[in-house]
């Protein structure tokens, strides 16, 4: 490696968070090694990073692949963002969810423990933990002391990794759980409710769709802005002491609120008759209200979100309208 230049390994680099994180790290001069699971053209925002990003294609369902990469790259920092990230899909793909969301972090933690980073120190590991680990705790808001009680295959796999990070930390590793609440952006795939709403509302506003079909619209989530979330990840991993930290805005809204804000932004005033519920989109064990208390993130490293709910919805609707209006 490259003198004193900090080296980071980002799994899941082609995902929403991986992209924003790679951009942030590259902009500060860190050499970023990004890992993805399948080859093919890179998204333009990663292509734009040029030689500041080294992309590796690896089968992350095979735990040996991640361990080999860590030993070869010798990163100073690992951000483990690769995951089956959809709760709904985790019911359909429980084995892949377990391999990616539980076994992969185990392999990373194990390999990091026996590797020295390129700059000569411990390999620091940030695990993208999730609000879903608290889904069955019955406490709002949740914070770092909330009991881990998952209610979905996704939550259970993330909970396993969450505990394993704590065990490694107790054994001397620099391992951090960033307990992430949902965080959105125009790069969010449409399988998530927020982007499904903004892309469909934009299409309705432009006369290209005539209804929005959803599941449980009473569910409440603490939706933040993805670029804020990746900033918290970096700050958490560079904190003097390894810790677990909730990354949330502190305010939740319902799916209904999101729908109303999206139509308002798109300038559609008469919309209630365009929204329909289909039980096919209603999930088993859907957490009613996930809202995090961000006090520790603020006090430990001065993190605060830059965008409130209406700004997040607005940015996503604007981006979806711009996509439709592009020549
Ligand atoms: P995830 O739960 O973190 O995978 O994020 P989603 O964006 O998929 O879901 C967030 C919330 O929206 C959950 O409570 C879902 O039950 C609820 N929801 C309601 N209707 C829909 C829908 O049509 N699609 C999705 N994906 N979620 C929906």
């Amino acid at each position: 490696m490259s003198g004193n230049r900090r080296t980071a390994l980002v799994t899941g680099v082609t995902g929403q968070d991986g992209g924003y994180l790679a951009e942030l790290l590259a902009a500060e001069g860190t050499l970023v090694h990004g890992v993805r699971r399948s080859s093919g053209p890179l998204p333009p925002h990663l292509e734009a990073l040029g030689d500041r990003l080294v992309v590796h294609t690896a089968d992350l369902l095979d735990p040996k692949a991640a361990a080999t990469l860590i030993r070869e790259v010798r990163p100073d920092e690992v951000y483990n963002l690769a995951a089956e990230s959809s709760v709904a899909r985790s019911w359909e793909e429980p084995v892949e969810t377990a391999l990616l969301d539980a076994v992969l972090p185990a392999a990373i933690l194990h390999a990091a423990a026996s590797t020295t980073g390129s700059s000569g120190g411990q390999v620091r590991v940030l695990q993208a933990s999730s609000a879903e680990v608290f889904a069955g705790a019955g406490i709002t808001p949740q914070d770092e002391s909330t009991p881990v009680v998952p209610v979905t295959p996704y939550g259970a796999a993330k909970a396993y990794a969450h505990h394993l990070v704590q065990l490694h930390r107790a054994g001397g590793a620099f391992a951090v759980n960033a307990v992430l609440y949902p965080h959105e952006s125009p790069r969010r795939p449409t399988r998530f409710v927020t982007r499904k709403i903004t892309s469909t509302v934009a299409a309705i506003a432009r006369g290209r769709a005539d209804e929005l079909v959803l599941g449980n619209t009473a569910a409440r989530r603490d939706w933040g802005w993805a670029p804020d979330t990746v900033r918290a990840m970096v700050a958490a991993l560079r904190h003097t002491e390894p810790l677990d930290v909730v990354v949330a805005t502190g305010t939740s809204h319902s799916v209904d609120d999101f729908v109303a804000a999206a139509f308002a932004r798109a300038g559609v005033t008469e919309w209630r008759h365009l929204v329909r519920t289909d039980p096919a989109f209603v999930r088993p064990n859907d957490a009613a209200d996930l809202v995090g208390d961000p006090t520790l993130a603020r006090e430990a490293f001065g993190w605060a979100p830059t965008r409130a709910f209406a700004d997040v919805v607005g940015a996503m609707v604007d981006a979806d309208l711009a996509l439709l209006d592009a020549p």
Side-chain angles (χ1 to χ4, degrees):
M1 119 90 209
S2 32
N4 289 331
R5 193 171 172 197
R6 184 185 269 133
T7 302
L9 184 74
V10 178
T11 69
V13 75
T14 50
Q16 169 188 258
D17 297 357
Y20 287 119
L21 180 62
E23 289 173 309
L24 180 67
L25 293 170
E28 63 166 26
T30 295
L31 175 63
V32 185
H33 288 261
V35 190
R36 62 174 174 171
R37 292 175 60 206
S38 52
S39 53
L42 284 177
H45 58 269
L46 293 184
E47 207 58 79
L49 297 179
D51 62 7
R52 292 177 295 161
L53 172 68
V54 181
V55 178
H56 304 262
T57 303
D59 176 13
L60 294 177
L61 295 176
D62 171 9
K64 287 196 205 76
T68 303
L69 266 174
I70 289 177
R71 296 203 178 100
E72 281 174 11
V73 171
R74 297 180 50 223
D76 303 303
E77 302 177 342
V78 178
Y79 297 88
N80 183 36
L81 311 185
E84 171 49 73
S85 60
S86 158
V87 174
R89 289 231 339 239
S90 79
W91 290 103
E92 292 150 23
E93 299 288 349
V95 174
E96 185 168 319
T97 302
L99 287 170
L100 274 178
D101 297 12
V103 175
L104 173 62
I108 287 174
L109 288 162
H110 187 62
S114 57
T115 304
T116 302
S118 293
S119 303
Q122 252 180 322
V123 178
R124 296 185 174 204
V125 178
L126 180 129
Q127 166 63 12
S129 189
S130 166
E132 285 288 335
V133 305
F134 300 143
I139 297 168
T140 45
Q142 302 90 37
D143 66 18
E144 294 76 10
S145 66
T146 301
V148 170
V149 187
V151 300
T152 63
Y154 172 86
K158 286 285 182 183
Y160 172 87
H162 187 99
H163 287 309
L164 213 57
V165 163
Q166 293 174 336
L167 295 175
H168 274 258
R169 194 165 63 224
F174 201 111
V176 167
N177 282 309
V179 187
L180 308 179
Y181 282 65
H183 41 284
E184 314 302 311
S185 78
R187 294 183 191 164
R188 196 64 146 150
T190 53
R191 66 176 177 274
F192 293 91
V193 75
T194 53
R195 186 76 196 291
K196 178 178 175 180
I197 293 168
T198 62
S199 60
T200 308
V201 165
I204 289 173
R206 292 295 183 262
R208 300 206 201 170
D210 48 23
E211 63 174 1
L212 172 60
V213 185
L214 295 169
N216 172 20
T217 58
R220 299 183 68 85
R221 294 288 182 272
D222 181 331
W223 282 296
W225 179 238
D228 284 340
T229 303
V230 303
R231 224 172 10 87
M233 293 181 195
V234 175
L237 197 56
R238 296 187 186 163
H239 190 57
T240 41
E241 298 296 326
L243 78 181
D244 293 340
V245 64
V246 159
V247 181
T249 71
T251 309
S252 68
H253 291 85
S254 66
V255 174
D256 273 324
D257 295 338
F258 200 105
V259 170
F263 275 114
R265 181 69 167 212
V268 180
T269 47
E270 296 293 322
W271 53 267
R272 286 190 193 276
H273 62 292
L274 305 173
V275 182
R276 181 163 69 76
T277 300
D278 183 338
F281 292 114
V282 177
R283 300 177 189 171
N285 295 359
D286 200 28
D289 190 4
L290 292 176
V291 55
D293 176 349
T295 304
L296 179 63
R298 188 178 63 243
E299 291 181 350
F301 44 82
W303 179 82
T306 63
R307 292 201 188 197
F309 174 74
D311 306 318
V312 174
V313 181
M316 293 176 72
V317 170
D318 291 354
D320 278 318
L321 287 170
L323 278 179
L324 291 173
D325 294 341

XYZ file of all heavy atoms in Angstrom, residues 85-89 130 132 154 182 184 188-197 212-221 223 255 278 280-283 286-288 290, ligand 1:
358
model
N -30.804 -6.412 2.119
C -31.200 -5.248 2.914
C -32.703 -5.051 2.995
O -33.159 -4.140 3.675
C -30.542 -3.982 2.345
O -30.956 -3.804 1.015
N -33.460 -5.897 2.330
C -34.913 -5.741 2.336
C -35.539 -6.726 3.322
O -35.339 -7.949 3.216
C -35.455 -5.978 0.927
O -36.812 -6.336 0.977
N -36.277 -6.214 4.281
C -36.956 -7.073 5.263
C -37.929 -8.005 4.545
O -38.009 -9.204 4.837
C -37.699 -6.214 6.302
C -38.517 -7.089 7.237
C -36.712 -5.365 7.098
N -38.663 -7.474 3.570
C -39.646 -8.297 2.851
C -38.943 -9.468 2.162
O -39.388 -10.623 2.242
C -40.389 -7.436 1.839
N -37.814 -9.191 1.509
C -37.115 -10.266 0.789
C -36.517 -11.283 1.740
O -36.279 -12.431 1.369
C -36.030 -9.665 -0.116
C -36.621 -8.941 -1.285
C -36.077 -9.295 -2.663
N -34.792 -9.916 -2.772
C -33.773 -9.397 -3.464
N -33.886 -8.222 -4.035
N -32.660 -10.056 -3.579
N -28.929 -2.670 12.422
C -30.208 -2.147 11.940
C -31.201 -1.936 13.062
O -31.242 -2.708 14.032
C -30.800 -3.153 10.947
O -32.156 -2.854 10.705
N -34.025 -2.814 12.914
C -34.856 -4.025 12.957
C -34.449 -4.967 14.093
O -35.235 -5.833 14.461
C -34.800 -4.756 11.616
C -35.601 -4.082 10.514
C -37.123 -4.222 10.686
O -37.585 -5.188 11.330
O -37.835 -3.347 10.168
N -34.489 -11.024 8.569
C -33.496 -9.952 8.411
C -33.011 -9.493 9.779
O -31.802 -9.405 10.038
C -34.133 -8.777 7.647
C -33.279 -7.540 7.588
C -32.330 -7.376 6.594
C -33.428 -6.515 8.537
C -31.532 -6.229 6.544
C -32.647 -5.375 8.484
C -31.695 -5.239 7.493
O -30.917 -4.109 7.454
N -33.870 3.545 8.886
C -33.965 3.641 7.434
C -33.473 4.996 6.942
O -33.735 6.018 7.579
C -35.459 3.489 7.152
C -36.058 2.924 8.391
C -35.155 3.269 9.530
N -32.750 7.268 3.290
C -33.289 7.282 1.930
C -32.524 8.255 1.065
O -31.769 9.097 1.549
C -34.767 7.678 1.990
C -35.565 6.944 3.064
C -35.532 5.441 2.927
O -35.776 4.940 1.819
O -35.243 4.743 3.926
N -32.203 5.092 -3.694
C -32.883 3.976 -3.042
C -33.607 3.146 -4.105
O -34.320 3.713 -4.937
C -33.902 4.567 -2.063
C -34.450 3.637 -1.018
C -33.432 3.137 -0.082
N -33.953 2.954 1.270
C -33.483 2.028 2.101
N -32.497 1.227 1.727
N -33.965 1.931 3.320
N -33.457 1.824 -4.095
C -34.203 1.017 -5.071
C -35.717 1.066 -4.808
O -36.150 1.292 -3.670
C -33.674 -0.396 -4.848
C -32.408 -0.249 -4.071
C -32.551 1.016 -3.271
N -36.504 0.814 -5.848
C -37.971 0.937 -5.714
C -38.601 -0.209 -4.931
O -39.795 -0.165 -4.669
C -38.648 1.011 -7.099
O -38.198 -0.102 -7.867
C -38.312 2.306 -7.809
N -37.834 -1.222 -4.520
C -38.445 -2.258 -3.666
C -38.684 -1.714 -2.252
O -39.406 -2.322 -1.472
C -37.612 -3.540 -3.636
C -36.253 -3.418 -2.997
C -35.533 -4.773 -2.930
N -34.201 -4.631 -2.387
C -33.124 -4.315 -3.096
N -33.229 -4.131 -4.394
N -31.944 -4.187 -2.525
N -38.068 -0.590 -1.914
C -38.323 0.060 -0.622
C -39.494 1.026 -0.769
O -39.656 1.661 -1.813
C -37.075 0.795 -0.129
C -35.968 -0.148 0.224
C -35.029 -0.523 -0.719
C -35.881 -0.700 1.501
C -34.026 -1.422 -0.414
C -34.873 -1.605 1.818
C -33.949 -1.966 0.856
N -40.271 1.157 0.295
C -41.539 1.873 0.170
C -41.347 3.342 -0.216
O -42.143 3.898 -0.979
C -42.379 1.723 1.461
C -41.847 2.569 2.596
C -43.829 2.027 1.187
N -40.293 3.976 0.286
C -40.105 5.405 0.024
C -39.927 5.689 -1.469
O -40.606 6.529 -2.040
C -38.859 5.915 0.767
O -37.766 5.070 0.409
C -39.081 5.897 2.268
N -39.030 4.937 -2.082
C -38.761 5.168 -3.520
C -39.919 4.666 -4.358
O -40.219 5.237 -5.413
C -37.445 4.488 -3.904
C -37.019 4.803 -5.325
C -36.452 6.203 -5.455
N -36.396 6.642 -6.847
C -35.583 6.158 -7.775
N -34.704 5.203 -7.463
N -35.615 6.609 -9.011
N -40.593 3.604 -3.890
C -41.803 3.148 -4.593
C -42.812 4.295 -4.624
O -43.401 4.598 -5.666
C -42.388 1.938 -3.875
C -43.678 1.408 -4.487
C -44.159 0.165 -3.738
C -45.507 -0.320 -4.241
N -45.976 -1.513 -3.512
N -42.960 4.963 -3.492
C -43.916 6.075 -3.418
C -43.465 7.227 -4.306
O -44.240 7.727 -5.128
C -44.086 6.553 -1.950
C -44.758 5.467 -1.106
C -44.894 7.861 -1.912
C -44.709 5.723 0.399
N -51.391 4.135 -6.818
C -50.282 3.764 -5.923
C -50.814 2.677 -5.000
O -51.755 2.918 -4.236
C -49.846 5.001 -5.121
C -48.825 4.795 -3.997
C -47.515 4.214 -4.534
C -48.548 6.127 -3.273
N -50.231 1.464 -5.099
C -50.750 0.323 -4.346
C -49.742 -0.046 -3.259
O -48.587 -0.363 -3.551
C -51.003 -0.889 -5.270
C -51.668 -2.023 -4.489
C -51.864 -0.476 -6.455
N -50.188 0.005 -2.008
C -49.288 -0.180 -0.872
C -49.809 -1.234 0.093
O -50.937 -1.719 -0.045
C -49.126 1.148 -0.122
C -48.441 2.266 -0.906
C -48.592 3.590 -0.175
C -46.960 1.930 -1.135
N -48.965 -1.567 1.091
C -49.361 -2.490 2.157
C -49.768 -1.717 3.406
O -50.687 -0.894 3.367
N -49.043 -1.955 4.505
C -49.377 -1.368 5.804
C -48.928 0.100 5.856
O -47.767 0.388 6.124
C -48.682 -2.201 6.895
C -48.792 -1.566 8.262
O -49.657 -0.723 8.513
N -47.891 -1.992 9.148
N -49.872 1.011 5.641
C -49.489 2.429 5.574
C -49.512 3.103 6.947
O -49.183 4.284 7.070
C -50.395 3.209 4.604
O -51.737 3.074 5.046
C -50.265 2.703 3.187
N -49.887 2.341 7.982
C -49.829 2.896 9.340
C -48.442 2.735 9.955
O -48.133 3.362 10.981
C -50.870 2.213 10.227
N -47.592 1.888 9.338
C -46.249 1.656 9.895
C -45.497 2.984 9.982
O -45.573 3.810 9.076
C -45.476 0.675 9.008
N -44.779 3.164 11.068
C -44.016 4.404 11.282
C -42.525 4.075 11.261
O -42.084 3.101 11.871
C -44.387 5.047 12.629
C -45.852 5.432 12.737
C -46.129 6.124 14.064
N -45.484 7.418 14.130
C -46.019 8.541 13.643
N -47.202 8.519 13.072
N -45.366 9.674 13.741
N -41.774 4.895 10.546
C -40.326 4.707 10.468
C -39.626 6.052 10.646
O -40.163 7.096 10.324
C -39.919 4.109 9.104
C -40.434 2.682 8.859
C -39.697 1.659 9.720
N -40.129 0.283 9.479
C -41.151 -0.299 10.123
N -41.854 0.363 11.027
N -41.449 -1.551 9.869
N -37.173 7.961 9.068
C -36.490 8.027 7.768
C -35.507 9.182 7.739
O -35.902 10.350 7.818
C -37.508 8.215 6.646
C -38.247 6.978 6.248
C -37.716 5.849 5.692
C -39.668 6.747 6.353
N -38.722 4.938 5.443
C -39.916 5.463 5.837
C -40.744 7.507 6.824
C -41.197 4.915 5.788
C -42.005 6.958 6.769
C -42.222 5.675 6.258
N -46.120 5.703 6.897
C -46.095 5.582 5.435
C -47.131 6.534 4.840
O -46.876 7.189 3.826
C -46.359 4.117 5.014
C -46.473 3.994 3.493
C -45.268 3.199 5.554
N -53.202 -3.251 -0.866
C -53.281 -4.642 -1.317
C -52.640 -5.506 -0.234
O -51.463 -5.303 0.093
C -52.524 -4.782 -2.644
C -52.635 -6.198 -3.218
O -52.906 -7.134 -2.435
O -52.439 -6.347 -4.433
N -51.344 -8.186 -0.336
C -50.111 -8.861 -0.795
C -48.866 -8.113 -0.328
O -47.795 -8.707 -0.178
C -50.111 -8.957 -2.318
N -48.999 -6.807 -0.072
C -47.834 -6.024 0.376
C -47.758 -5.909 1.900
O -46.850 -5.256 2.418
C -47.870 -4.621 -0.237
C -47.658 -4.610 -1.724
C -48.677 -4.224 -2.582
C -46.434 -5.006 -2.257
C -48.483 -4.223 -3.956
C -46.229 -5.003 -3.632
C -47.263 -4.620 -4.487
N -48.736 -6.493 2.598
C -48.708 -6.443 4.069
C -47.848 -7.600 4.565
O -48.012 -8.736 4.127
C -50.134 -6.524 4.656
C -50.088 -6.545 6.176
C -50.980 -5.351 4.157
N -46.925 -7.303 5.462
C -45.956 -8.317 5.896
C -46.339 -8.949 7.221
O -46.945 -8.290 8.062
C -44.597 -7.662 6.139
C -44.063 -7.027 4.960
C -42.771 -6.363 5.369
N -42.318 -5.557 4.271
C -41.321 -4.717 4.353
N -40.684 -4.574 5.495
N -40.960 -4.033 3.317
N -44.712 -6.946 11.038
C -44.198 -5.635 10.651
C -44.093 -4.743 11.897
O -45.087 -4.538 12.601
C -45.165 -5.006 9.638
C -44.520 -3.908 8.821
O -43.290 -3.957 8.628
O -45.254 -3.009 8.380
N -42.893 -4.245 12.178
C -42.733 -3.381 13.358
C -43.611 -2.136 13.203
O -43.653 -1.532 12.133
C -41.278 -2.978 13.510
N -44.329 -1.768 14.281
C -45.274 -0.653 14.198
C -44.554 0.692 14.148
O -44.915 1.573 13.370
C -46.226 -0.690 15.391
N -40.557 2.264 14.453
C -39.117 2.248 14.721
C -38.642 3.689 14.709
O -38.691 4.362 13.682
C -38.387 1.418 13.660
C -38.666 -0.086 13.701
C -37.981 -0.798 12.541
C -38.187 -0.686 15.034
P -37.544 -2.304 5.139
O -38.669 -2.739 6.011
O -36.420 -1.729 5.907
O -37.105 -3.355 4.162
O -38.092 -1.031 4.290
P -39.380 -0.869 3.359
O -39.235 0.478 2.754
O -39.504 -2.026 2.405
O -40.623 -0.887 4.343
C -40.844 0.129 5.284
C -42.243 0.024 5.827
O -43.194 0.323 4.789
C -42.639 -1.342 6.363
O -43.376 -1.151 7.549
C -43.553 -1.906 5.265
O -44.518 -2.865 5.750
C -44.252 -0.618 4.847
N -44.911 -0.709 3.534
C -46.209 -0.401 3.274
N -46.507 -0.610 1.995
C -45.371 -1.061 1.400
C -45.064 -1.440 0.042
O -45.884 -1.405 -0.848
N -43.764 -1.816 -0.200
C -42.800 -1.853 0.789
N -41.547 -2.202 0.472
N -43.088 -1.511 2.084
C -44.348 -1.119 2.384
